[in-house]
Amino acid sequence: MPELPEVETTLRGITPYVKGQKVVAVHIRQPKLRWPVPSELHELEGQVVDSLQRRAKYLLMHTLKGTVIIHLGMSGSLRICDHDTAPGKHDHVDIVLANSHLLRLQDPRRFGSVLWTQQINRHPLLCALGPEPLHEAFNARYLYEKSRSRKVTIKTFIMNAHVVVGVGNIYASESLFMAGINPKTIAGRLSMARYEKLVFAIKTVLSLAIEQGGTTLRDFVSAEGQTGYFQLALSVYGRTGKPCQQCQKPIRQITQGQRSTYYCTSCQT
DNA sequence: ATGCTAACCTGCGCGC
DNA sequence: TGCGCGCAGGTTAGCA
């Protein structure tokens, strides 16, 4: 599920319930996630969550003693529940708070992860990441320089977290459509002017999606447990064979790097 | 360094 | 109704 806007929406949803709260218990029902949930996660018990943060698609919960790193993978979601809410089949980890709430991770496919580190600044999953897409450091000059001599397609390039974080499969297609760029173009051959358009598109598309609370697809549920989010109008993603909203030609679906790509063969060159 | 592939899982919708 | 198949929002390890 979660693309960056959903992770950001989750962060904003859970923060009022979690920030400043003491953790009274941690329950690990299913430790077999993307990586095993470490038993050291119990060191969280008795700690106060001082602050919450998003980096790429990781949610970070900081305490004096260490940091919880949560990733939602493909199908994960976090919800605030009451202490007495019975866990379901895919509710793998609970972080029980002193305020009668608990933070519950549900993840049917178990591609997500819950980790614990005392050295957040040196964590291998985080320290090699590229810039945040909505920060100033992510700009056309940066992408242009970074792409010189790169032979992968532009779709694959912008989905590479070492290049820029947080551009997932939906918004990669949507951004390339907005920028009018064919997803099969080799990254190293795109002009500066086209990178200007692309960076603008990525920032715009992600900002809009965050504003609207994240695109709801399949099993995403907001932090408050709602499912009825307004669905951001998608121009190309999932619209195989349907008419392009600009030129009416059918949207084409191809596979790039084991992922589906959607684009308009006449609007995107 | 760069690029490509397999791998980790469950659930759902489709055609038969 | 049931079954098999293909597909799904992510990311890393490991290999050429």
Side-chain angles (χ1 to χ4, degrees), chain A residues 73-247:
Chain A
M74 293 275 257
S75 58
S77 59
L78 284 171
R79 263 170 288 179
I80 301 293
C81 306
D82 291 325
H83 274 187
D84 53 5
T85 310
K89 184 180 178 183
H90 301 296
D91 293 336
H92 307 312
V93 176
D94 284 352
I95 295 173
V96 186
L97 305 168
N99 64 358
S100 89
H101 287 119
L102 60 82
L103 183 66
R104 174 165 285 172
L105 173 74
Q106 177 186 66
D107 186 4
R109 290 180 71 181
R110 291 194 271 126
F111 286 176
S113 50
V114 181
L115 301 170
W116 171 256
T117 180
Q118 313 214 70
Q119 300 224 76
I120 189 63
N121 291 326
R122 274 182 274 293
H123 197 281
L125 290 179
L126 301 176
C127 60
L129 293 173
E132 288 287 327
L134 298 179
H135 286 182
E136 188 56 37
F138 178 65
N139 55 48
R141 176 60 56 188
Y142 164 80
L143 255 200
Y144 179 81
E145 299 294 349
K146 189 90 176 168
S147 66
R148 294 308 93 181
S149 83
R150 299 296 292 268
K151 298 188 167 50
V152 291
T153 66
I154 188 61
K155 163 83 162 6
T156 298
F157 186 63
I158 60 174
M159 287 186 69
N160 182 344
H162 297 303
V163 174
V164 57
V165 301
V167 181
N169 203 36
I170 295 178
Y171 298 119
S173 282
E174 292 297 314
S175 300
L176 288 165
F177 175 77
M178 180 182 274
I181 297 168
N182 186 317
K184 294 192 282 191
T185 311
I186 300 303
R189 297 182 55 191
L190 267 182
S191 68
M192 182 65 187
R194 305 202 82 195
Y195 273 115
E196 297 274 11
K197 285 192 171 184
L198 180 55
V199 166
F200 176 80
I202 289 171
K203 288 176 187 278
T204 301
V205 162
L206 290 177
S207 301
L208 277 176
I210 289 170
E211 242 176 67
Q212 302 185 16
T215 305
T216 304
L217 289 177
R218 220 156 263 131
D219 45 6
F220 176 69
V221 178
S222 80
E224 286 83 8
Q226 301 158 345
T227 54
Y229 264 123
F230 175 77
Q231 180 158 345
L232 183 68
L234 299 175
S235 297
V236 289
Y237 184 85
R239 297 194 65 243
T240 312
K242 293 183 178 160
C244 170
Q245 61 187 199
Q246 286 180 23
C247 76

